[in-house]
Structure formats: structure tokens, C-alpha cells
Amino acid sequence: MQKLPKVIDRLAEKFAALPGIGPRSAQRLVFYLLHNPESELEDFAAKLVALKKETCLCSICHQISDHDPCSVCEDTERDRKLLCVVEQPLDLLALERSEQYHGLYHVLHGCIDPLNHVSPDELYLADLVKRLDGVEELILATNPTMEGEATAMYITQLIKQKGLADKLKITRIGHGLPIGADIEYADGLTLMRALEGRREV
Amino acid sequence: MQKLPKVIDRLAEKFAALPGIGPRSAQRLVFYLLHNPESELEDFAAKLVALKKETCLCSICHQISDHDPCSVCEDTERDRKLLCVVEQPLDLLALERSEQYHGLYHVLHGCIDPLNHVSPDELYLADLVKRLDGVEELILATNPTMEGEATAMYITQLIKQKGLADKLKITRIGHGLPIGADIEYADGLTLMRALEGRREV
């Protein structure tokens, strides 16, 4: 029986290890790449190698950046009395795209998730507590999931335990119906949160 | 507004250029890779670069192989009176997996597809005609699509024009209901072909 050259399987394994790519799609990607010129593959390879070399984590907020401190942390126009906690670097970018927030950020790089063995020690929580000096409002913008809620609750407890809660207003990002949604199809928990978060018009 | 390091966008563009990966998934793949150690990325890059260096096309059947001629073409146990034409290298592997075919192959690397500007000249058709000496049956196993049918028809015409059709039996791979399918849900064209291809029990 005919067998494929080993390098095809080895490259397919690399693709299949990425999230959302199964072994069949991985094989199809490799066959697609076989039709590319060698220079194109070398370019792809160079960018893979450059990924870690040309990026770093901001030592203040832990966002992925190409310089330290990152452009948000070094921006003197930003409101340093506001600090927003997010789970992932992409969450920070989503908030930035909304152009509604002008404070600083803190990226946890995950959330407390006992089922996947992520304990609070593995998040950038110790640095967060050290950054609260001068901050007036801490916005907890972790995801509205079980793990995100638990993380928000853990941070609140942690700050209270350290006796830092008196001078600090801790808020949770608003939950409710997303714009364009249909009440008819909304789940019960979202509706409950939407009712809790109702505001006078 | 915070911007991502350029290398992230550049690598994401590479992933987004692959079939079936959109810009959002490409970005997610890059963020996933950021959590990998640098050695892992270097390994991935090395395998990308090796892909073209360690593979070649068999000069006889045009299958992707690591040596020329490929293991099928150099196998003296194979029935050299049978030649099966397929569109793609993966089609050859699928037929090999069935373990029912012991002849030789010819890989066209595509099918005639005027809408995507693929003309017969871009397929390995000239070599096919030269290989027919000693072949008793030519099995056309292009896909049962418009383009695959057109390619099968083109090959038949080509062989007749060259006056090679007399000594050669040209067959088309059988069409009909796939095993495990439900007649209720089969499309009309498949049922038509299944009726045409009915056999005495």
C-alpha cells in the first residue's frame, strides 16, 4: 500500500494539534501548502519563529505587546483611577474597539477553572493587588461564565481580605440582553441578569 | 487604541490564507501558539520548510512521494495492465485504503474547470496518453462532479482522437448509492445513476 512521505504526516500532526483543526483538515491544509512555492513556506516558517521573539508581555498589565510597558500603560492620557480586569489579551482588544473605556487594564491570562486545573496561583493576581494604589474603581470584566463569575468573586474576596476594599469601588461589567437580541429567544439566566440590571429611563 | 504586535497580524494572515480558516480563527490560532514554547514553534517552522524539500512528484504517475519513482510505480507485483486516473493525491490514497485495486495510477492534479480557469493543459494529461502502451483497461476515477465528469469525457475523446481506443477498454468508476445511505434522502441524480448502474443479483 502506498504511503505518504513522512514529512506530510509530521506537518499534519502540527496542524492537528491546533484548536479546532482535526486530522482530516490538517491533512488537507498540508496538501494545500504543497501547491505553494518554497519561498512562501519559508516565509510562513519565519513568521512562526518570529512570533515569540518579537512579542513580550507588558510587565504592568500583562497584555501581549512588542514593547514593555505596552502602549496603554505608557499612555499618560489614560485615566489611571480606572482599572479593568480581563481574562485574555483578545478581551482587552474587544474593549478597546468599543472606544468607550479610557482607563488601564489588567490581563489575568485565564480564569479560575478547577475542572481544567487552573488555580488562582496560575493567574496574574498577585500583581493586580499591588497595582491598586491610586485606583478608584476596579471593573471586573471577566466573562459571564461560571469560571468568569468565580474569578470575579475570588478577586473581590481577595481585595476585602487585604483590607483594600474601603478606598476602592469594585464593579462588575453589566450583564443583560446583547444589542440586537430577541427577548423571545433569550435564556433564563440572561433575562434574570437583565432584570436585575434594569435602569431608570 | 491598543494595537497588537505586527508579527501577530502577519502570522494570522498566513493562517487565514489557508482554506477553511477565517480571519477570526486565524487570530485565535496565533494566540494559542503564543502559549507554546519557542522550541515548539521552531519545530513547526522546520517541518513547514521541510515539506517541499523532502517531497517530490513521481515522474511516472505524479503522486506525491519521497522518492522517484514512487512505491506503487516501482512495485513489480502491481498489475501493469490496469491504469486508474484520479484527480488528486488524496484520491489515490483513498483507493489504496480500500485494498481492492492492484493496478497503477495516474494523478492529474486537478480537473478541467473553466470557471476556475483550469484548462486541460494544466493537468498531467500529455503524460497519460504516453503511458497507455500495454495498458488493457483505463479506469476513470475522477470525482462524480460536473468538472470530474467533463474531465472523464475529455480523456475519452482525447484517446479516441489519438486512435488508441481500439486496443483499450475505458471504464468509469461506478456511481450509485453509497453504502449505508438511505434511498429516501438520496438526490435524483444519484438515484438515476444507481438505476443505470443496476446489476443482476
Side-chain angles (χ1 to χ4, degrees):
Chain A
M1 201 160 123
Q2 224 252 5
K3 272 195 191 126
L4 285 174
K6 278 198 193 104
V7 67
I8 291 186
D9 288 335
R10 284 196 296 249
L11 182 58
E13 274 167 29
K14 291 285 163 193
F15 278 110
L18 300 177
I21 300 181
R24 294 276 300 173
S25 344
Q27 202 181 41
R28 217 167 303 135
L29 292 178
V30 175
F31 274 87
Y32 176 85
L33 286 172
L34 271 171
H35 290 111
N36 280 321
E38 204 164 324
S39 61
E40 174 62 28
L41 295 179
E42 276 163 9
D43 189 35
F44 196 155
K47 289 188 169 66
L48 267 174
V49 173
L51 181 63
K52 295 278 268 200
K53 290 203 208 305
E54 293 178 18
T55 55
C56 59
L57 287 192
C58 170
S59 58
I60 303 170
C61 74
H62 307 296
Q63 172 66 340
I64 290 160
S65 176
D66 46 8
H67 54 292
D68 182 23
C70 73
S71 50
V72 171
C73 288
E74 69 179 5
D75 184 352
T76 50
E77 305 270 290
R78 290 270 174 168
D79 186 351
R80 284 166 194 273
K81 295 194 285 293
L82 280 175
L83 187 59
C84 178
V85 179
V86 294
E87 290 180 20
Q88 298 290 354
L90 285 175
D91 300 342
L92 187 157
L93 290 177
L95 285 165
E96 282 291 280
R97 271 197 302 275
S98 77
E99 294 184 355
Q100 291 302 308
Y101 179 74
H102 304 289
L104 299 179
Y105 294 95
H106 191 87
V107 186
L108 297 175
H109 284 267
C111 54
I112 301 169
D113 185 359
L115 290 178
N116 288 311
H117 311 288
V118 182
S119 72
D121 302 340
E122 280 153 77
L123 307 177
Y124 289 104
L125 279 170
D127 317 49
L128 174 63
V129 178
K130 286 181 200 144
R131 286 186 69 190
L132 296 178
D133 209 30
V135 173
E136 288 179 6
E137 182 175 354
L138 182 73
I139 304 167
L140 302 174
T142 52
N143 285 329
T145 56
M146 283 270 277
E147 294 77 18
E149 293 292 346
T151 309
M153 219 173 306
Y154 183 90
I155 294 172
T156 312
Q157 291 300 322
L158 187 73
I159 289 167
K160 281 185 181 158
Q161 269 171 27
K162 302 255 176 195
L164 298 165
D166 304 336
K167 292 168 277 173
L168 189 70
K169 188 169 140 194
I170 304 177
T171 56
R172 182 88 175 94
I173 198 167
H175 294 152
L177 290 166
I179 304 306
D182 197 323
I183 293 184
E184 186 182 343
Y185 299 112
D187 64 294
L189 204 58
T190 299
L191 282 176
M192 194 182 89
R193 291 300 182 86
L195 284 170
E196 279 172 12
R198 69 187 183 275
R199 297 194 298 180
E200 215 166 317
V201 286
Chain B
M1 201 160 122
Q2 225 251 5
K3 273 196 188 123
L4 284 175
K6 279 199 191 100
V7 66
I8 290 186
D9 288 335
R10 284 195 296 248
L11 183 58
E13 275 167 27
K14 291 286 161 193
F15 277 110
L18 300 177
I21 300 182
R24 295 275 300 172
S25 345
Q27 201 181 42
R28 218 169 301 135
L29 292 179
V30 175
F31 273 88
Y32 176 85
L33 285 172
L34 272 170
H35 289 112
N36 279 322
E38 204 164 324
S39 61
E40 175 61 29
L41 294 180
E42 276 162 9
D43 190 34
F44 197 153
K47 290 188 169 65
L48 267 173
V49 172
L51 181 62
K52 295 277 267 200
K53 290 203 207 305
E54 293 178 19
T55 56
C56 60
L57 287 193
C58 170
S59 58
I60 303 171
C61 73
H62 307 296
Q63 172 66 340
I64 288 160
S65 175
D66 47 8
H67 54 291
D68 182 23
C70 74
S71 50
V72 171
C73 287
E74 69 179 5
D75 184 352
T76 50
E77 306 270 291
R78 290 270 174 168
D79 186 351
R80 283 166 193 274
K81 294 193 286 295
L82 279 175
L83 186 59
C84 178
V85 178
V86 294
E87 290 181 20
Q88 298 292 354
L90 285 175
D91 299 342
L92 187 158
L93 291 176
L95 285 165
E96 281 292 278
R97 271 198 301 274
S98 78
E99 294 184 357
Q100 290 302 307
Y101 180 73
H102 305 288
L104 300 179
Y105 293 95
H106 191 85
V107 186
L108 297 174
H109 285 268
C111 54
I112 300 169
D113 185 359
L115 290 179
N116 288 311
H117 311 288
V118 182
S119 71
D121 302 339
E122 280 154 78
L123 307 177
Y124 289 104
L125 280 170
D127 316 49
L128 174 63
V129 178
K130 287 180 201 145
R131 287 185 69 189
L132 295 178
D133 209 30
V135 174
E136 290 178 7
E137 182 176 353
L138 182 72
I139 304 167
L140 301 174
T142 51
N143 284 329
T145 55
M146 284 270 277
E147 294 78 18
E149 293 293 345
T151 309
M153 218 172 306
Y154 183 90
I155 294 172
T156 311
Q157 291 300 322
L158 187 73
I159 290 167
K160 282 184 182 159
Q161 270 171 25
K162 303 253 175 195
L164 298 165
D166 304 336
K167 292 167 278 175
L168 188 71
K169 187 168 138 194
I170 304 177
T171 57
R172 181 88 175 94
I173 198 167
H175 293 152
L177 289 165
I179 304 306
D182 198 324
I183 292 183
E184 186 182 343
Y185 299 112
D187 65 293
L189 204 59
T190 300
L191 282 176
M192 194 182 88
R193 292 300 182 88
L195 283 169
E196 279 172 12
R198 68 188 183 276
R199 297 194 300 181
E200 215 166 317
V201 288

